[in-house]
């Protein structure tokens, strides 16, 4: 069964105090609920800062990964208020989440028991494990978005696209990520403006500034490629 398996690592999670971690985890579980309702994705949080998300529609891999990343960056939690390490917490605000999207077969996937095993989750998990900065004195994060597959053609075609989206989102503000998040869910600018209580022109400005047109084209390209 060809599947998208997304592995994610919340950057600098340990820089938060206990209350901050609890609030962040609550936000992440809210994101999971959105993804489950909209796309029937299976998502779980492991040990507070590690995310796994499975989609039986592999073409949704990039969309789901970007929803997780923008959703976390758009969190309304005052990270500075709950930080125990300001040097590291800045990475939580700027990057939020490292995401690896693996597309491949799963030998086993059981929503009830949480059993997930196979190539897709192995590839995505290994990539994230290679990026870990926990307990390192100096954090160096060059990339935070990855695509892995045993299909070399897919990897070669998606690699430059993924790198460009990574740059756009890591430079994006929380408000811009909030707009991207809702657009990835399929909402119109009119619907987003009503939900956020701001003028539609403000939504459009955030959308333009973050480079939504390029992001949308990349997501559609990924979906067509994997299908």
């Amino acid at each position: 069964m060809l599947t998208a398996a997304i592995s994610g690592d919340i950057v600098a999670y340990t820089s938060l105090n206990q209350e901050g971690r609890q609030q962040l985890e609550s936000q992440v579980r809210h994101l999971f609920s959105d993804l489950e309702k909209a796309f029937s994705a299976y998502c779980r949080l492991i040990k507070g800062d590690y995310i796994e998300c499975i989609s039986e529609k592999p073409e949704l891999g990039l969309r789901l990964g970007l929803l997780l990343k923008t959703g976390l960056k758009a969190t309304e939690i005052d990270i500075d208020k709950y930080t125990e390490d300001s040097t590291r917490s800045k990475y939580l605000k700027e990057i939020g989440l490292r995401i690896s999207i693996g597309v491949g077969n799963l030998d086993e996937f059981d929503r009830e028991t949480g059993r997930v095993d196979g190539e897709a989750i192995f590839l995505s998990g290994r990539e994230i494990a290679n990026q870990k900065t926990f307990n390192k004195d100096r954090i160096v994060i060059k990339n935070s978005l990855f695509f892995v597959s045993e299909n070399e053609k897919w990897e070669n075609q998606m690699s430059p696209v993924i790198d460009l989206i990574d740059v756009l989102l890591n430079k994006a503000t929380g408000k811009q990520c909030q707009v991207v998040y809702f657009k990835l869910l399929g909402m119109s600018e009119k619907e987003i403006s009503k939900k956020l209580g701001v003028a539609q022109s403000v939504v459009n400005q955030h959308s333009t500034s973050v480079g939504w047109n390029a992001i949308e084209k990349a997501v559609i390209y990924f979906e067509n490629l994997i299908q």
Side-chain angles (χ1 to χ4, degrees):
M1 176 176 64
L2 193 64
T3 308
I6 301 163
S7 297
D9 170 39
I10 300 176
V11 177
Y13 170 83
T14 55
S15 69
L16 298 176
N17 62 25
Q18 188 61 33
E19 186 178 356
R21 293 179 192 183
Q22 290 174 351
Q23 289 198 29
L24 190 61
E25 288 175 24
S26 177
Q27 290 283 333
V28 170
R29 295 186 191 283
H30 180 73
L31 298 181
F32 290 173
S33 178
D34 282 351
L35 269 55
E36 182 179 358
K37 290 177 183 176
F39 305 106
S40 297
Y42 170 80
C43 302
R44 61 184 177 184
L45 188 62
I46 302 171
K47 295 182 179 179
D49 66 343
Y50 190 79
I51 289 171
E52 287 184 345
C53 183
I54 307 295
S55 174
E56 293 172 280
K57 294 182 178 180
E59 67 273 14
L60 293 177
L62 182 57
R63 184 180 296 273
L64 293 171
L66 297 185
L67 278 163
L68 288 168
K69 186 169 178 64
T70 56
L72 189 67
K73 281 199 67 172
T75 179
E76 296 179 354
I77 296 173
D78 184 354
I79 292 173
D80 292 331
K81 180 179 178 181
Y82 299 107
T83 187
E84 291 185 338
D85 185 346
S86 58
T87 302
R88 286 177 172 262
S89 67
K90 69 177 183 179
Y91 293 100
L92 179 55
K93 290 193 291 185
E94 292 173 4
I95 296 172
L97 193 65
R98 264 184 298 237
I99 287 284
S100 177
I101 303 158
V103 172
N105 291 312
L106 280 185
D107 301 320
E108 187 175 0
F109 173 44
D110 190 321
R111 290 173 182 261
E112 295 298 321
T113 64
R115 176 70 177 171
V116 181
D117 188 40
E119 173 190 280
I121 195 67
F122 170 75
L123 289 172
S124 64
R126 182 179 62 182
E127 186 64 46
I128 288 298
N130 290 339
Q131 308 301 323
K132 283 281 190 180
T133 55
F134 180 69
N135 274 343
K136 291 186 178 180
D137 293 332
R138 183 167 175 263
I139 295 179
V140 178
I141 299 176
K142 295 181 179 179
N143 301 89
S144 64
L145 187 62
F146 307 91
F147 172 68
V148 286
S149 173
E150 288 197 343
N151 188 315
E152 188 175 346
K153 180 181 177 181
W154 287 351
E155 279 205 9
N156 290 339
Q157 288 180 269
M158 285 307 305
S159 179
V161 178
I162 292 287
D163 287 348
L164 287 172
I165 297 176
D166 198 16
V167 171
L168 289 177
L169 293 184
N170 286 340
K171 290 181 177 180
T173 66
K175 294 295 185 183
Q176 290 169 349
C177 284
Q178 195 173 42
V179 169
V180 172
Y181 178 80
F182 289 127
K183 284 200 165 190
L184 286 167
L185 284 176
M187 294 175 63
S188 68
E189 290 190 355
K190 184 177 181 179
E191 291 171 326
I192 296 171
S193 68
K194 185 177 180 180
K195 185 174 183 66
L196 298 180
V198 298
Q200 188 171 336
S201 60
V202 173
V203 174
N204 182 263
Q205 183 179 16
H206 286 321
S207 178
T208 301
S209 298
V210 76
W212 165 252
N213 286 341
I215 294 170
E216 182 182 36
K217 287 178 181 178
V219 170
I220 293 172
Y221 178 74
F222 183 92
E223 290 173 349
N224 291 333
L225 178 69
I226 303 303
Q227 280 180 332

